[in-house]
């Protein structure tokens, strides 16, 4: 009987392991894409650099169903005034699909502190 429990536990762990690893692999995929596209020149996940920390962005817009469609053109064309005096540089050479994927992912992030600037 104990062998069945052990086999059942093993089976569950083999199924659950890839599911548990998925969010980390998705984050790594998006971090790699952000590095490739030069996003980390101005941004960081947790620290405000020239631009806001992405976790702060995700937290600020978490309840805004229109945020994705509003932020994509800002990332593409540049913009300013939403996070202080800094102006976001246009990213016209970055494919639209890459921008969409990155913004979708950023909008899922949450700040580790209550450091969102309003």
């Amino acid at each position: 009987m104990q062998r069945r429990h052990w086999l059942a536990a093993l089976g569950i762990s083999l199924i659950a392991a890839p599911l548990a690893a998925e969010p980390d692999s998705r984050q790594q995929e998006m971090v790699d894409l952000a590095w490739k596209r030069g996003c980390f020149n101005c941004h960081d996940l947790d620290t405000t650099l020239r631009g806001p920390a992405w976790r702060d962005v995700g937290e600020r817009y978490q309840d805004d169903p229109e945020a994705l469609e509003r932020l994509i053109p800002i990332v593409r064309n540049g913009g300013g005034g939403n996070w202080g005096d800094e102006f976001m540089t246009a990213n016209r050479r970055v494919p639209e699909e890459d921008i969409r994927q990155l913004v979708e992912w950023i909008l899922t992030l949450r700040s580790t502190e209550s450091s969102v600037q309003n």
Side-chain angles (χ1 to χ4, degrees):
M1 189 61 109
Q2 287 182 339
R3 183 178 175 157
R4 285 186 186 169
H5 291 293
W6 181 82
L7 288 174
L10 177 63
I12 290 170
S13 68
L14 291 174
I15 292 169
L19 296 175
E22 195 281 325
D24 290 339
S25 66
R26 175 69 173 160
Q27 177 161 318
Q28 188 59 54
E29 178 185 340
M30 291 296 98
V31 166
D32 291 346
L33 181 58
W35 275 111
K36 178 180 177 182
R37 297 302 179 198
C39 304
F40 284 110
N41 291 331
C42 299
H43 295 279
D44 185 74
L45 280 168
D46 300 303
T47 306
T48 297
L49 301 176
R50 182 173 175 220
W54 284 337
R55 291 189 193 283
D56 291 345
V57 173
E59 190 168 295
R60 176 181 278 187
Y61 295 106
Q62 68 183 333
D63 296 323
D64 184 347
E66 298 172 5
L68 177 66
E69 298 307 322
R70 273 200 338 270
L71 293 176
I72 289 172
I74 292 171
V75 174
R76 156 84 57 224
N77 302 316
N82 294 322
W83 293 89
D85 295 332
E86 288 290 338
F87 186 82
M88 180 162 183
T89 306
N91 293 283
R92 292 188 188 101
R93 292 184 180 175
V94 177
E96 182 85 19
E97 183 55 33
D98 288 357
I99 292 173
R100 177 172 292 279
Q101 284 183 50
L102 286 164
V103 173
E104 284 175 346
W105 171 67
I106 290 165
L107 291 173
T108 68
L109 301 174
R110 297 296 174 265
S111 179
T112 55
E113 301 175 6
S114 296
S115 60
V116 175
Q117 302 169 1
N118 291 314

